[in-house]
Amino acid sequence: MSQGSLCPCGTHCRITKVLRDLIETQNQLCLLAREESVIVSILENLHHVVSTSQHRFTSWLSSVAACETAQANLAIAQSVSRSRSTTSRWDVEAEQRLFHQWVKKEQHHWEQRLLQIQRGMANYRTYLQKCVQQFVLSPNCLALCLPLLDELLRHLEERIEQHHLASISAHELFLQFEQRWTYERDRFDYEIAQVPQAYQAGRNQAQARWGLYVVTGIGRPVSLTQTNMNYQSMVHNRQLELYSQQCKLFLTTKVEQFRLSVQQMEGQYKATVLAAQQERWHMLHAQLSVDIADPDQLPALQSLVLSYFL
């Protein structure tokens, strides 16, 4: 139990110690109750990240398949063994396994936290009842309750400000990641769309050489079929290379944004809960500030104080 202030009732005031424990325990109970609902939102957010990432992995594997088909067609046209693609199917599946391991770890963490909250709330409720039974107000102790509340309210104000600033900072970083991802996504999309045009010049030259050979019969070039297959292979290879970079950036961005969204939600709910508690303790402060002329009024005041915790 926490230490109290010096008081005629003993070496350290029992009532101020109990009141401090009552307030801090009540604060913690309210935080845990809100955290339980926040974790449900965190898990929903995690499932959304998994869903969007699964679509990305599916598209990534489709791009690998298109590249593999183009390379197989080129190998047939050249009568050679098939060459390895820029990004293999195994590379994508390895990334997918790492991502799923991260998801499983996060899910396990938050599910375990839910169980800890449920146990913690039960323990805090038991301790709160124990403190309630120990709270017996006396005229000597009443004067020390107000300075204690002043101290706790100052500390609470500092905690609210810290959580508020942490929430804002996490949200700003989240938006920065979103802005960077939007820019890089559009840049990659543009470059991927430009790949066929970028390789078209080489294809046109090969077609011109074939046309010259048809006319002159000199210097037989690569067949048009092989030229087209080579063009398709180069286009799909380069597009896959760019798309792989885009997918990896997407995954790292979503993982980081998930972490920041958790920080933002945690800071926000803690600031909100503690602000509500702060208002509650201000009301208690006002109740205890009333002068008690008649000692017979103390039991009614004690019941009023305990009503804040029952």
Side-chain angles (χ1 to χ4, degrees):
M1 185 179 285
S2 58
Q3 289 293 304
S5 304
L6 292 178
C7 174
C9 75
T11 305
H12 285 90
C13 180
R14 291 181 296 275
I15 295 303
T16 55
K17 289 192 293 184
V18 173
L19 183 59
R20 180 189 293 272
D21 286 349
L22 279 168
I23 290 173
E24 291 179 349
T25 302
Q26 183 74 15
N27 287 345
Q28 201 60 35
L29 261 173
C30 292
L31 285 170
L32 289 177
R34 180 64 66 87
E35 185 182 359
E36 195 170 15
S37 62
V38 168
I39 290 177
V40 173
S41 297
I42 289 173
L43 288 171
E44 289 175 354
N45 188 18
L46 181 62
H47 293 154
H48 175 71
V49 172
V50 171
S51 178
T52 56
S53 299
Q54 190 56 51
H55 288 301
R56 179 66 60 167
F57 278 120
T58 300
S59 299
W60 195 358
L61 287 170
S62 296
S63 185
V64 170
C67 188
E68 289 172 343
T69 299
Q71 287 184 337
N73 290 336
L74 177 61
I76 292 172
Q78 293 176 330
S79 299
V80 296
S81 60
R82 182 175 164 189
S83 61
R84 185 181 181 276
S85 64
T86 305
T87 302
S88 73
R89 185 175 298 275
W90 314 119
D91 294 332
V92 180
E93 291 175 351
E95 289 282 347
Q96 197 168 21
R97 283 193 298 273
L98 287 173
F99 177 75
H100 285 162
Q101 286 172 8
W102 170 80
V103 170
K104 187 176 180 180
K105 180 181 176 182
E106 286 294 323
Q107 190 161 1
H108 177 74
H109 168 75
W110 293 112
E111 288 173 350
Q112 287 299 306
R113 181 58 187 158
L114 276 176
L115 295 176
Q116 290 172 0
I117 288 172
Q118 291 162 6
R119 290 194 295 266
M121 289 181 70
N123 292 334
Y124 276 121
R125 288 193 185 100
T126 300
Y127 186 64
L128 192 66
Q129 292 302 314
K130 179 182 177 182
C131 291
V132 165
Q133 294 169 6
Q134 295 174 346
F135 187 83
V136 181
L137 201 56
S138 69
N140 291 328
C141 300
L142 181 59
L144 292 174
C145 289
L146 292 177
L148 170 65
L149 278 169
D150 289 333
E151 175 197 337
L152 292 176
L153 284 168
R154 283 194 301 271
H155 180 59
L156 207 54
E157 183 67 34
E158 292 173 0
R159 289 178 65 189
I160 292 168
E161 182 66 15
Q162 290 171 0
H163 291 311
H164 181 64
L165 291 176
S167 176
I168 291 174
S169 177
H171 183 61
E172 288 176 348
L173 285 173
F174 181 95
L175 293 178
Q176 289 176 20
F177 271 92
E178 186 66 25
Q179 185 178 27
R180 176 174 176 261
W181 160 247
T182 300
Y183 171 80
E184 292 294 338
R185 179 200 62 199
D186 293 345
R187 181 181 68 83
F188 275 117
D189 285 345
Y190 176 78
E191 289 189 19
I192 290 169
Q194 292 299 309
V195 169
Q197 185 177 345
Y199 285 102
Q200 186 62 42
R203 187 184 192 186
N204 291 341
Q205 288 178 1
Q207 289 175 341
R209 283 195 296 270
W210 183 262
L212 183 62
Y213 167 73
V214 171
V215 173
T216 64
I218 301 173
R220 179 183 178 88
V222 175
S223 69
L224 287 178
T225 299
Q226 187 172 333
T227 296
N228 289 333
M229 294 300 101
N230 190 51
Y231 168 78
Q232 292 293 333
S233 178
M234 288 190 298
V235 166
H236 284 292
N237 259 310
R238 179 56 180 160
Q239 287 181 326
L240 175 59
E241 181 182 341
L242 292 169
Y243 194 67
S244 297
Q245 294 175 30
Q246 187 187 49
C247 288
K248 289 177 181 179
L249 178 61
F250 170 84
L251 293 172
T252 55
T253 298
K254 292 305 172 186
V255 167
E256 190 63 23
Q257 281 188 312
F258 175 80
R259 184 184 68 82
L260 290 168
S261 70
V262 169
Q263 289 183 4
Q264 189 266 331
M265 282 190 281
E266 286 180 336
Q268 187 178 51
Y269 93 78
K270 288 177 181 178
T272 301
V273 169
L274 293 179
Q277 290 300 102
Q278 182 186 42
E279 184 177 348
R280 185 186 188 92
W281 306 137
H282 272 300
M283 292 172 60
L284 177 60
H285 190 286
Q287 298 283 358
L288 291 174
S289 299
V290 177
D291 291 331
I292 300 296
D294 184 358
D296 292 338
Q297 294 178 304
L298 278 175
L301 181 59
Q302 176 174 314
S303 298
L304 182 62
V305 171
L306 291 179
S307 70
Y308 284 82
F309 307 98
L310 297 176

